[in-house]
PDB file of all heavy atoms in Angstrom:
ATOM      1  N   LEU A 467     163.909 120.731  51.301  1.00 87.00           N
ATOM      2  CA  LEU A 467     162.997 120.802  52.439  1.00 87.00           C
ATOM      3  C   LEU A 467     163.141 122.133  53.159  1.00 87.00           C
ATOM      4  O   LEU A 467     164.146 122.833  53.012  1.00 87.00           O
ATOM      5  CB  LEU A 467     163.292 119.665  53.423  1.00 87.00           C
ATOM      6  CG  LEU A 467     163.147 118.235  52.905  1.00 87.00           C
ATOM      7  CD1 LEU A 467     163.398 117.261  54.050  1.00 87.00           C
ATOM      8  CD2 LEU A 467     161.762 118.014  52.311  1.00 87.00           C
ATOM      9  N   ARG A 468     162.147 122.450  53.968  1.00 74.00           N
ATOM     10  CA  ARG A 468     162.235 123.636  54.813  1.00 74.00           C
ATOM     11  C   ARG A 468     163.129 123.316  56.008  1.00 74.00           C
ATOM     12  O   ARG A 468     162.931 122.331  56.697  1.00 74.00           O
ATOM     13  CB  ARG A 468     160.848 124.023  55.326  1.00 74.00           C
ATOM     14  CG  ARG A 468     159.825 124.285  54.248  1.00 74.00           C
ATOM     15  CD  ARG A 468     158.418 124.288  54.827  1.00 74.00           C
ATOM     16  NE  ARG A 468     157.886 125.619  54.996  1.00 74.00           N
ATOM     17  CZ  ARG A 468     156.618 125.869  55.311  1.00 74.00           C
ATOM     18  NH1 ARG A 468     155.774 124.882  55.488  1.00 74.00           N
ATOM     19  NH2 ARG A 468     156.194 127.101  55.457  1.00 74.00           N
ATOM     20  N   HIS A 469     164.098 124.160  56.246  1.00 72.00           N
ATOM     21  CA  HIS A 469     164.968 123.975  57.410  1.00 72.00           C
ATOM     22  C   HIS A 469     165.048 125.224  58.272  1.00 72.00           C
ATOM     23  O   HIS A 469     165.178 125.141  59.495  1.00 72.00           O
ATOM     24  CB  HIS A 469     166.385 123.568  56.963  1.00 72.00           C
ATOM     25  CG  HIS A 469     166.454 122.183  56.396  1.00 72.00           C
ATOM     26  ND1 HIS A 469     166.204 121.056  57.134  1.00 72.00           N
ATOM     27  CD2 HIS A 469     166.748 121.749  55.138  1.00 72.00           C
ATOM     28  CE1 HIS A 469     166.342 119.979  56.377  1.00 72.00           C
ATOM     29  NE2 HIS A 469     166.676 120.377  55.152  1.00 72.00           N
ATOM     30  N   ASP A 470     164.965 126.366  57.668  1.00 72.00           N
ATOM     31  CA  ASP A 470     165.162 127.617  58.407  1.00 72.00           C
ATOM     32  C   ASP A 470     163.864 128.363  58.675  1.00 72.00           C
ATOM     33  O   ASP A 470     163.873 129.471  59.201  1.00 72.00           O
ATOM     34  CB  ASP A 470     166.112 128.529  57.628  1.00 72.00           C
ATOM     35  CG  ASP A 470     167.465 127.877  57.395  1.00 72.00           C
ATOM     36  OD1 ASP A 470     167.923 127.173  58.311  1.00 72.00           O
ATOM     37  OD2 ASP A 470     168.038 128.071  56.307  1.00 72.00           O
ATOM     38  N   GLU A 471     162.727 127.761  58.295  1.00 76.00           N
ATOM     39  CA  GLU A 471     161.453 128.424  58.517  1.00 76.00           C
ATOM     40  C   GLU A 471     161.165 128.500  60.017  1.00 76.00           C
ATOM     41  O   GLU A 471     161.560 127.643  60.796  1.00 76.00           O
ATOM     42  CB  GLU A 471     160.334 127.646  57.814  1.00 76.00           C
ATOM     43  CG  GLU A 471     160.518 127.520  56.310  1.00 76.00           C
ATOM     44  CD  GLU A 471     160.040 128.746  55.574  1.00 76.00           C
ATOM     45  OE1 GLU A 471     159.412 129.605  56.202  1.00 76.00           O
ATOM     46  OE2 GLU A 471     160.301 128.846  54.367  1.00 76.00           O
ATOM     47  N   ARG A 472     160.425 129.534  60.395  1.00 83.00           N
ATOM     48  CA  ARG A 472     160.004 129.656  61.786  1.00 83.00           C
ATOM     49  C   ARG A 472     158.649 129.003  61.964  1.00 83.00           C
ATOM     50  O   ARG A 472     157.735 129.182  61.164  1.00 83.00           O
ATOM     51  CB  ARG A 472     159.917 131.125  62.205  1.00 83.00           C
ATOM     52  CG  ARG A 472     161.279 131.808  62.343  1.00 83.00           C
ATOM     53  CD  ARG A 472     161.106 133.238  62.835  1.00 83.00           C
ATOM     54  NE  ARG A 472     160.430 133.301  64.113  1.00 83.00           N
ATOM     55  CZ  ARG A 472     161.054 133.167  65.286  1.00 83.00           C
ATOM     56  NH1 ARG A 472     162.363 132.945  65.322  1.00 83.00           N
ATOM     57  NH2 ARG A 472     160.377 133.235  66.413  1.00 83.00           N
ATOM     58  N   CYS A 473     158.502 128.229  63.018  1.00 87.00           N
ATOM     59  CA  CYS A 473     157.237 127.573  63.337  1.00 87.00           C
ATOM     60  C   CYS A 473     156.156 128.630  63.517  1.00 87.00           C
ATOM     61  O   CYS A 473     156.372 129.645  64.199  1.00 87.00           O
ATOM     62  CB  CYS A 473     157.396 126.752  64.607  1.00 87.00           C
ATOM     63  SG  CYS A 473     155.879 125.978  65.190  1.00 87.00           S
ATOM     64  N   PRO A 474     154.968 128.446  62.925  1.00 88.00           N
ATOM     65  CA  PRO A 474     153.922 129.460  63.036  1.00 88.00           C
ATOM     66  C   PRO A 474     153.240 129.502  64.395  1.00 88.00           C
ATOM     67  O   PRO A 474     152.464 130.420  64.671  1.00 88.00           O
ATOM     68  CB  PRO A 474     152.933 129.044  61.944  1.00 88.00           C
ATOM     69  CG  PRO A 474     153.106 127.563  61.828  1.00 88.00           C
ATOM     70  CD  PRO A 474     154.558 127.310  62.077  1.00 88.00           C
ATOM     71  N   ASP A 475     153.519 128.505  65.262  1.00 90.00           N
ATOM     72  CA  ASP A 475     152.865 128.436  66.569  1.00 90.00           C
ATOM     73  C   ASP A 475     153.800 128.983  67.644  1.00 90.00           C
ATOM     74  O   ASP A 475     154.785 128.330  68.014  1.00 90.00           O
ATOM     75  CB  ASP A 475     152.496 126.983  66.878  1.00 90.00           C
ATOM     76  CG  ASP A 475     151.787 126.843  68.220  1.00 90.00           C
ATOM     77  OD1 ASP A 475     151.550 127.866  68.883  1.00 90.00           O
ATOM     78  OD2 ASP A 475     151.474 125.686  68.585  1.00 90.00           O
ATOM     79  N   PRO A 476     153.525 130.176  68.174  1.00 90.00           N
ATOM     80  CA  PRO A 476     154.426 130.761  69.188  1.00 90.00           C
ATOM     81  C   PRO A 476     154.442 129.991  70.501  1.00 90.00           C
ATOM     82  O   PRO A 476     155.340 130.178  71.321  1.00 90.00           O
ATOM     83  CB  PRO A 476     153.874 132.174  69.375  1.00 90.00           C
ATOM     84  CG  PRO A 476     152.438 132.084  68.964  1.00 90.00           C
ATOM     85  CD  PRO A 476     152.389 131.052  67.869  1.00 90.00           C
ATOM     86  N   THR A 477     153.453 129.103  70.712  1.00 91.00           N
ATOM     87  CA  THR A 477     153.407 128.328  71.957  1.00 91.00           C
ATOM     88  C   THR A 477     153.831 126.878  71.746  1.00 91.00           C
ATOM     89  O   THR A 477     153.611 126.043  72.619  1.00 91.00           O
ATOM     90  CB  THR A 477     151.987 128.365  72.543  1.00 91.00           C
ATOM     91  OG1 THR A 477     151.077 127.702  71.640  1.00 91.00           O
ATOM     92  CG2 THR A 477     151.524 129.801  72.764  1.00 91.00           C
ATOM     93  N   CYS A 478     154.447 126.589  70.610  1.00 92.00           N
ATOM     94  CA  CYS A 478     154.833 125.210  70.300  1.00 92.00           C
ATOM     95  C   CYS A 478     155.874 124.699  71.294  1.00 92.00           C
ATOM     96  O   CYS A 478     156.973 125.269  71.416  1.00 92.00           O
ATOM     97  CB  CYS A 478     155.381 125.138  68.879  1.00 92.00           C
ATOM     98  SG  CYS A 478     156.004 123.510  68.426  1.00 92.00           S
ATOM     99  N   ALA A 479     155.541 123.623  71.983  1.00 90.00           N
ATOM    100  CA  ALA A 479     156.462 123.068  72.977  1.00 90.00           C
ATOM    101  C   ALA A 479     157.694 122.461  72.336  1.00 90.00           C
ATOM    102  O   ALA A 479     158.737 122.321  72.988  1.00 90.00           O
ATOM    103  CB  ALA A 479     155.738 122.022  73.816  1.00 90.00           C
ATOM    104  N   LEU A 480     157.601 122.095  71.065  1.00 92.00           N
ATOM    105  CA  LEU A 480     158.757 121.520  70.382  1.00 92.00           C
ATOM    106  C   LEU A 480     159.825 122.559  70.095  1.00 92.00           C
ATOM    107  O   LEU A 480     161.002 122.226  69.938  1.00 92.00           O
ATOM    108  CB  LEU A 480     158.313 120.874  69.062  1.00 92.00           C
ATOM    109  CG  LEU A 480     157.272 119.768  69.149  1.00 92.00           C
ATOM    110  CD1 LEU A 480     156.914 119.268  67.753  1.00 92.00           C
ATOM    111  CD2 LEU A 480     157.750 118.616  70.026  1.00 92.00           C
ATOM    112  N   CYS A 481     159.410 123.812  69.992  1.00 90.00           N
ATOM    113  CA  CYS A 481     160.350 124.890  69.671  1.00 90.00           C
ATOM    114  C   CYS A 481     160.838 125.624  70.908  1.00 90.00           C
ATOM    115  O   CYS A 481     161.602 126.591  70.796  1.00 90.00           O
ATOM    116  CB  CYS A 481     159.683 125.875  68.698  1.00 90.00           C
ATOM    117  SG  CYS A 481     159.213 125.117  67.126  1.00 90.00           S
ATOM    118  N   ASP A 482     160.407 125.182  72.069  1.00 91.00           N
ATOM    119  CA  ASP A 482     160.834 125.756  73.346  1.00 91.00           C
ATOM    120  C   ASP A 482     161.723 124.734  74.043  1.00 91.00           C
ATOM    121  O   ASP A 482     161.227 123.757  74.603  1.00 91.00           O
ATOM    122  CB  ASP A 482     159.600 126.073  74.195  1.00 91.00           C
ATOM    123  CG  ASP A 482     159.949 126.697  75.538  1.00 91.00           C
ATOM    124  OD1 ASP A 482     161.114 126.572  75.988  1.00 91.00           O
ATOM    125  OD2 ASP A 482     159.056 127.307  76.157  1.00 91.00           O
ATOM    126  N   PRO A 483     163.039 124.896  74.008  1.00 91.00           N
ATOM    127  CA  PRO A 483     163.944 123.883  74.574  1.00 91.00           C
ATOM    128  C   PRO A 483     163.629 123.545  76.021  1.00 91.00           C
ATOM    129  O   PRO A 483     163.729 122.372  76.428  1.00 91.00           O
ATOM    130  CB  PRO A 483     165.330 124.529  74.434  1.00 91.00           C
ATOM    131  CG  PRO A 483     165.176 125.493  73.289  1.00 91.00           C
ATOM    132  CD  PRO A 483     163.784 126.017  73.397  1.00 91.00           C
ATOM    133  N   GLU A 484     163.254 124.545  76.798  1.00 92.00           N
ATOM    134  CA  GLU A 484     162.959 124.293  78.215  1.00 92.00           C
ATOM    135  C   GLU A 484     161.714 123.417  78.369  1.00 92.00           C
ATOM    136  O   GLU A 484     161.701 122.452  79.152  1.00 92.00           O
ATOM    137  CB  GLU A 484     162.765 125.617  78.941  1.00 92.00           C
ATOM    138  CG  GLU A 484     162.529 125.449  80.440  1.00 92.00           C
ATOM    139  CD  GLU A 484     162.410 126.784  81.159  1.00 92.00           C
ATOM    140  OE1 GLU A 484     162.769 127.819  80.573  1.00 92.00           O
ATOM    141  OE2 GLU A 484     161.943 126.776  82.315  1.00 92.00           O
ATOM    142  N   ALA A 485     160.653 123.731  77.587  1.00 93.00           N
ATOM    143  CA  ALA A 485     159.420 122.947  77.662  1.00 93.00           C
ATOM    144  C   ALA A 485     159.655 121.520  77.175  1.00 93.00           C
ATOM    145  O   ALA A 485     159.134 120.557  77.756  1.00 93.00           O
ATOM    146  CB  ALA A 485     158.329 123.625  76.835  1.00 93.00           C
TER     147      ALA A 485
END
Side-chain angles (χ1 to χ4, degrees):
L467 299 183
R468 303 165 103 171
H469 290 295
D470 301 323
E471 300 278 351
R472 289 183 59 85
C473 176
D475 181 2
T477 65
C478 176
L480 301 178
C481 299
D482 181 341
E484 183 177 346

